[in-house]
PDB file of all heavy atoms in Angstrom:
ATOM      1  N   ARG B1049      23.416  12.017 -28.598  1.00 97.00           N
ATOM      2  CA  ARG B1049      23.130  11.343 -27.323  1.00 97.00           C
ATOM      3  C   ARG B1049      23.447   9.852 -27.367  1.00 97.00           C
ATOM      4  O   ARG B1049      24.004   9.309 -26.430  1.00 97.00           O
ATOM      5  CB  ARG B1049      21.660  11.537 -26.946  1.00 97.00           C
ATOM      6  CG  ARG B1049      21.388  12.877 -26.352  1.00 97.00           C
ATOM      7  CD  ARG B1049      20.336  12.706 -25.285  1.00 97.00           C
ATOM      8  NE  ARG B1049      19.735  13.966 -24.965  1.00 97.00           N
ATOM      9  CZ  ARG B1049      18.658  14.102 -24.245  1.00 97.00           C
ATOM     10  NH1 ARG B1049      18.017  13.041 -23.816  1.00 97.00           N
ATOM     11  NH2 ARG B1049      18.184  15.271 -23.948  1.00 97.00           N
ATOM     12  N   VAL B1050      23.036   9.204 -28.451  1.00 98.00           N
ATOM     13  CA  VAL B1050      23.256   7.762 -28.557  1.00 98.00           C
ATOM     14  C   VAL B1050      24.750   7.454 -28.583  1.00 98.00           C
ATOM     15  O   VAL B1050      25.224   6.570 -27.862  1.00 98.00           O
ATOM     16  CB  VAL B1050      22.545   7.172 -29.794  1.00 98.00           C
ATOM     17  CG1 VAL B1050      22.976   5.737 -30.045  1.00 98.00           C
ATOM     18  CG2 VAL B1050      21.032   7.254 -29.620  1.00 98.00           C
ATOM     19  N   ARG B1051      25.505   8.184 -29.384  1.00 97.00           N
ATOM     20  CA  ARG B1051      26.955   7.922 -29.463  1.00 97.00           C
ATOM     21  C   ARG B1051      27.648   8.197 -28.130  1.00 97.00           C
ATOM     22  O   ARG B1051      28.533   7.445 -27.717  1.00 97.00           O
ATOM     23  CB  ARG B1051      27.565   8.720 -30.603  1.00 97.00           C
ATOM     24  CG  ARG B1051      27.172   8.133 -31.947  1.00 97.00           C
ATOM     25  CD  ARG B1051      27.835   8.811 -33.135  1.00 97.00           C
ATOM     26  NE  ARG B1051      27.378   8.158 -34.353  1.00 97.00           N
ATOM     27  CZ  ARG B1051      26.323   8.570 -35.059  1.00 97.00           C
ATOM     28  NH1 ARG B1051      25.642   9.641 -34.703  1.00 97.00           N
ATOM     29  NH2 ARG B1051      25.961   7.908 -36.143  1.00 97.00           N
ATOM     30  N   SER B1052      27.230   9.233 -27.446  1.00 96.00           N
ATOM     31  CA  SER B1052      27.799   9.529 -26.131  1.00 96.00           C
ATOM     32  C   SER B1052      27.501   8.401 -25.142  1.00 96.00           C
ATOM     33  O   SER B1052      28.379   7.961 -24.392  1.00 96.00           O
ATOM     34  CB  SER B1052      27.235  10.856 -25.610  1.00 96.00           C
ATOM     35  OG  SER B1052      27.646  11.074 -24.284  1.00 96.00           O
ATOM     36  N   MET B1053      26.269   7.913 -25.160  1.00 94.00           N
ATOM     37  CA  MET B1053      25.890   6.847 -24.227  1.00 94.00           C
ATOM     38  C   MET B1053      26.592   5.539 -24.570  1.00 94.00           C
ATOM     39  O   MET B1053      27.049   4.819 -23.678  1.00 94.00           O
ATOM     40  CB  MET B1053      24.365   6.664 -24.232  1.00 94.00           C
ATOM     41  CG  MET B1053      23.862   5.724 -23.167  1.00 94.00           C
ATOM     42  SD  MET B1053      24.355   6.133 -21.462  1.00 94.00           S
ATOM     43  CE  MET B1053      23.642   7.740 -21.264  1.00 94.00           C
ATOM     44  N   LEU B1054      26.704   5.226 -25.854  1.00 96.00           N
ATOM     45  CA  LEU B1054      27.421   4.009 -26.244  1.00 96.00           C
ATOM     46  C   LEU B1054      28.889   4.090 -25.821  1.00 96.00           C
ATOM     47  O   LEU B1054      29.477   3.094 -25.406  1.00 96.00           O
ATOM     48  CB  LEU B1054      27.299   3.765 -27.744  1.00 96.00           C
ATOM     49  CG  LEU B1054      25.925   3.283 -28.217  1.00 96.00           C
ATOM     50  CD1 LEU B1054      25.864   3.229 -29.736  1.00 96.00           C
ATOM     51  CD2 LEU B1054      25.577   1.933 -27.605  1.00 96.00           C
ATOM     52  N   ASP B1055      29.464   5.273 -25.899  1.00 95.00           N
ATOM     53  CA  ASP B1055      30.837   5.452 -25.443  1.00 95.00           C
ATOM     54  C   ASP B1055      30.926   5.199 -23.930  1.00 95.00           C
ATOM     55  O   ASP B1055      31.854   4.531 -23.461  1.00 95.00           O
ATOM     56  CB  ASP B1055      31.318   6.862 -25.786  1.00 95.00           C
ATOM     57  CG  ASP B1055      32.786   7.055 -25.489  1.00 95.00           C
ATOM     58  OD1 ASP B1055      33.596   6.192 -25.891  1.00 95.00           O
ATOM     59  OD2 ASP B1055      33.132   8.067 -24.851  1.00 95.00           O
ATOM     60  N   LYS B1056      29.957   5.688 -23.175  1.00 90.00           N
ATOM     61  CA  LYS B1056      29.960   5.510 -21.716  1.00 90.00           C
ATOM     62  C   LYS B1056      29.864   4.054 -21.292  1.00 90.00           C
ATOM     63  O   LYS B1056      30.399   3.670 -20.263  1.00 90.00           O
ATOM     64  CB  LYS B1056      28.818   6.306 -21.075  1.00 90.00           C
ATOM     65  CG  LYS B1056      29.072   7.787 -21.053  1.00 90.00           C
ATOM     66  CD  LYS B1056      27.921   8.536 -20.418  1.00 90.00           C
ATOM     67  CE  LYS B1056      28.180  10.026 -20.464  1.00 90.00           C
ATOM     68  NZ  LYS B1056      27.075  10.803 -19.911  1.00 90.00           N
ATOM     69  N   VAL B1057      29.172   3.239 -22.092  1.00 89.00           N
ATOM     70  CA  VAL B1057      29.051   1.814 -21.744  1.00 89.00           C
ATOM     71  C   VAL B1057      30.060   0.955 -22.509  1.00 89.00           C
ATOM     72  O   VAL B1057      29.990  -0.272 -22.479  1.00 89.00           O
ATOM     73  CB  VAL B1057      27.609   1.272 -21.944  1.00 89.00           C
ATOM     74  CG1 VAL B1057      26.631   1.991 -21.026  1.00 89.00           C
ATOM     75  CG2 VAL B1057      27.170   1.335 -23.393  1.00 89.00           C
ATOM     76  N   GLY B1058      31.007   1.593 -23.190  1.00 91.00           N
ATOM     77  CA  GLY B1058      32.077   0.871 -23.848  1.00 91.00           C
ATOM     78  C   GLY B1058      31.691   0.173 -25.143  1.00 91.00           C
ATOM     79  O   GLY B1058      32.338  -0.796 -25.538  1.00 91.00           O
ATOM     80  N   LEU B1059      30.666   0.685 -25.826  1.00 95.00           N
ATOM     81  CA  LEU B1059      30.211   0.033 -27.062  1.00 95.00           C
ATOM     82  C   LEU B1059      30.218   0.958 -28.276  1.00 95.00           C
ATOM     83  O   LEU B1059      29.540   0.686 -29.264  1.00 95.00           O
ATOM     84  CB  LEU B1059      28.796  -0.530 -26.858  1.00 95.00           C
ATOM     85  CG  LEU B1059      28.679  -1.691 -25.895  1.00 95.00           C
ATOM     86  CD1 LEU B1059      27.216  -2.049 -25.668  1.00 95.00           C
ATOM     87  CD2 LEU B1059      29.446  -2.900 -26.412  1.00 95.00           C
ATOM     88  N   ALA B1060      30.991   2.034 -28.228  1.00 96.00           N
ATOM     89  CA  ALA B1060      31.002   2.991 -29.330  1.00 96.00           C
ATOM     90  C   ALA B1060      31.368   2.326 -30.654  1.00 96.00           C
ATOM     91  O   ALA B1060      30.799   2.664 -31.699  1.00 96.00           O
ATOM     92  CB  ALA B1060      31.964   4.137 -29.026  1.00 96.00           C
ATOM     93  N   ARG B1077      24.680  -4.253 -21.786  1.00 90.00           N
ATOM     94  CA  ARG B1077      25.112  -2.849 -21.820  1.00 90.00           C
ATOM     95  C   ARG B1077      24.295  -2.035 -22.821  1.00 90.00           C
ATOM     96  O   ARG B1077      24.036  -0.858 -22.594  1.00 90.00           O
ATOM     97  CB  ARG B1077      26.607  -2.753 -22.120  1.00 90.00           C
ATOM     98  CG  ARG B1077      27.434  -3.181 -20.909  1.00 90.00           C
ATOM     99  CD  ARG B1077      28.899  -2.988 -21.133  1.00 90.00           C
ATOM    100  NE  ARG B1077      29.421  -4.083 -21.942  1.00 90.00           N
ATOM    101  CZ  ARG B1077      30.512  -4.008 -22.691  1.00 90.00           C
ATOM    102  NH1 ARG B1077      31.199  -2.890 -22.767  1.00 90.00           N
ATOM    103  NH2 ARG B1077      30.927  -5.054 -23.369  1.00 90.00           N
ATOM    104  N   ILE B1080      21.188  -1.199 -20.982  1.00 91.00           N
ATOM    105  CA  ILE B1080      21.476  -0.157 -19.999  1.00 91.00           C
ATOM    106  C   ILE B1080      21.569   1.203 -20.692  1.00 91.00           C
ATOM    107  O   ILE B1080      20.995   2.190 -20.218  1.00 91.00           O
ATOM    108  CB  ILE B1080      22.770  -0.493 -19.227  1.00 91.00           C
ATOM    109  CG1 ILE B1080      22.517  -1.694 -18.310  1.00 91.00           C
ATOM    110  CG2 ILE B1080      23.277   0.712 -18.442  1.00 91.00           C
ATOM    111  CD1 ILE B1080      23.763  -2.339 -17.740  1.00 91.00           C
ATOM    112  N   ALA B1081      22.266   1.248 -21.824  1.00 94.00           N
ATOM    113  CA  ALA B1081      22.382   2.505 -22.575  1.00 94.00           C
ATOM    114  C   ALA B1081      21.007   2.999 -23.014  1.00 94.00           C
ATOM    115  O   ALA B1081      20.706   4.196 -22.924  1.00 94.00           O
ATOM    116  CB  ALA B1081      23.292   2.306 -23.785  1.00 94.00           C
ATOM    117  N   MET B1084      19.167   4.577 -20.146  1.00 92.00           N
ATOM    118  CA  MET B1084      19.750   5.812 -19.630  1.00 92.00           C
ATOM    119  C   MET B1084      19.748   6.971 -20.619  1.00 92.00           C
ATOM    120  O   MET B1084      19.814   8.132 -20.214  1.00 92.00           O
ATOM    121  CB  MET B1084      21.192   5.540 -19.180  1.00 92.00           C
ATOM    122  CG  MET B1084      21.287   4.629 -17.976  1.00 92.00           C
ATOM    123  SD  MET B1084      22.984   4.181 -17.536  1.00 92.00           S
ATOM    124  CE  MET B1084      23.725   5.758 -17.216  1.00 92.00           C
ATOM    125  N   GLN B1087      17.678  10.220 -20.244  1.00 90.00           N
ATOM    126  CA  GLN B1087      17.823  10.928 -18.968  1.00 90.00           C
ATOM    127  C   GLN B1087      16.513  10.891 -18.180  1.00 90.00           C
ATOM    128  O   GLN B1087      15.901  11.916 -17.892  1.00 90.00           O
ATOM    129  CB  GLN B1087      18.293  12.359 -19.208  1.00 90.00           C
ATOM    130  CG  GLN B1087      19.631  12.409 -19.923  1.00 90.00           C
ATOM    131  CD  GLN B1087      20.006  13.791 -20.410  1.00 90.00           C
ATOM    132  OE1 GLN B1087      19.157  14.645 -20.628  1.00 90.00           O
ATOM    133  NE2 GLN B1087      21.286  14.005 -20.609  1.00 90.00           N
ATOM    134  N   LEU B1104      33.429  -4.661 -15.082  1.00 82.00           N
ATOM    135  CA  LEU B1104      32.413  -3.972 -15.866  1.00 82.00           C
ATOM    136  C   LEU B1104      31.175  -3.679 -15.016  1.00 82.00           C
ATOM    137  O   LEU B1104      30.566  -2.620 -15.139  1.00 82.00           O
ATOM    138  CB  LEU B1104      32.038  -4.794 -17.102  1.00 82.00           C
ATOM    139  CG  LEU B1104      31.219  -4.089 -18.164  1.00 82.00           C
ATOM    140  CD1 LEU B1104      31.835  -2.761 -18.574  1.00 82.00           C
ATOM    141  CD2 LEU B1104      31.068  -4.976 -19.373  1.00 82.00           C
ATOM    142  N   GLU B1107      31.815  -0.567 -13.145  1.00 83.00           N
ATOM    143  CA  GLU B1107      31.731   0.608 -14.020  1.00 83.00           C
ATOM    144  C   GLU B1107      30.275   0.990 -14.292  1.00 83.00           C
ATOM    145  O   GLU B1107      29.922   2.167 -14.291  1.00 83.00           O
ATOM    146  CB  GLU B1107      32.448   0.337 -15.341  1.00 83.00           C
ATOM    147  CG  GLU B1107      33.951   0.279 -15.223  1.00 83.00           C
ATOM    148  CD  GLU B1107      34.633  -0.104 -16.534  1.00 83.00           C
ATOM    149  OE1 GLU B1107      33.994   0.025 -17.614  1.00 83.00           O
ATOM    150  OE2 GLU B1107      35.800  -0.528 -16.480  1.00 83.00           O
ATOM    151  N   ILE B1108      29.434  -0.011 -14.525  1.00 82.00           N
ATOM    152  CA  ILE B1108      28.016   0.253 -14.782  1.00 82.00           C
ATOM    153  C   ILE B1108      27.363   0.854 -13.540  1.00 82.00           C
ATOM    154  O   ILE B1108      26.570   1.797 -13.634  1.00 82.00           O
ATOM    155  CB  ILE B1108      27.292  -1.029 -15.252  1.00 82.00           C
ATOM    156  CG1 ILE B1108      27.823  -1.478 -16.624  1.00 82.00           C
ATOM    157  CG2 ILE B1108      25.783  -0.842 -15.256  1.00 82.00           C
ATOM    158  CD1 ILE B1108      27.673  -0.475 -17.758  1.00 82.00           C
ATOM    159  N   LEU B1111      28.031   4.411 -13.425  1.00 84.00           N
ATOM    160  CA  LEU B1111      27.148   5.155 -14.329  1.00 84.00           C
ATOM    161  C   LEU B1111      25.800   5.425 -13.665  1.00 84.00           C
ATOM    162  O   LEU B1111      25.257   6.527 -13.754  1.00 84.00           O
ATOM    163  CB  LEU B1111      26.921   4.382 -15.629  1.00 84.00           C
ATOM    164  CG  LEU B1111      28.017   4.428 -16.673  1.00 84.00           C
ATOM    165  CD1 LEU B1111      27.667   3.507 -17.834  1.00 84.00           C
ATOM    166  CD2 LEU B1111      28.222   5.845 -17.178  1.00 84.00           C
ATOM    167  N   ALA B1114      26.225   8.149 -11.150  1.00 85.00           N
ATOM    168  CA  ALA B1114      26.295   9.460 -11.793  1.00 85.00           C
ATOM    169  C   ALA B1114      24.908   9.924 -12.233  1.00 85.00           C
ATOM    170  O   ALA B1114      24.578  11.109 -12.127  1.00 85.00           O
ATOM    171  CB  ALA B1114      27.245   9.409 -12.994  1.00 85.00           C
ATOM    172  N   LEU B1115      24.102   8.987 -12.699  1.00 85.00           N
ATOM    173  CA  LEU B1115      22.739   9.322 -13.108  1.00 85.00           C
ATOM    174  C   LEU B1115      21.936   9.815 -11.904  1.00 85.00           C
ATOM    175  O   LEU B1115      21.201  10.793 -11.998  1.00 85.00           O
ATOM    176  CB  LEU B1115      22.077   8.094 -13.742  1.00 85.00           C
ATOM    177  CG  LEU B1115      20.848   8.315 -14.600  1.00 85.00           C
ATOM    178  CD1 LEU B1115      21.157   9.222 -15.782  1.00 85.00           C
ATOM    179  CD2 LEU B1115      20.295   6.999 -15.078  1.00 85.00           C
ATOM    180  N   GLN B1118      22.613  13.301 -11.024  1.00 85.00           N
ATOM    181  CA  GLN B1118      21.976  14.255 -11.932  1.00 85.00           C
ATOM    182  C   GLN B1118      20.487  14.408 -11.644  1.00 85.00           C
ATOM    183  O   GLN B1118      19.786  15.104 -12.356  1.00 85.00           O
ATOM    184  CB  GLN B1118      22.167  13.811 -13.379  1.00 85.00           C
ATOM    185  CG  GLN B1118      23.598  13.804 -13.841  1.00 85.00           C
ATOM    186  CD  GLN B1118      23.761  13.144 -15.200  1.00 85.00           C
ATOM    187  OE1 GLN B1118      22.799  12.784 -15.867  1.00 85.00           O
ATOM    188  NE2 GLN B1118      24.996  12.963 -15.603  1.00 85.00           N
TER     189      GLN B1118
END
Side-chain angles (χ1 to χ4, degrees):
R1049 281 216 198 168
V1050 170
R1051 287 185 180 92
S1052 173
M1053 188 55 60
L1054 287 173
D1055 187 48
K1056 286 180 182 178
V1057 297
L1059 292 174
R1077 287 185 281 156
I1080 290 166
M1084 293 175 60
Q1087 300 169 336
L1104 193 51
E1107 289 175 19
I1108 294 301
L1111 281 175
L1115 198 60
Q1118 296 171 6

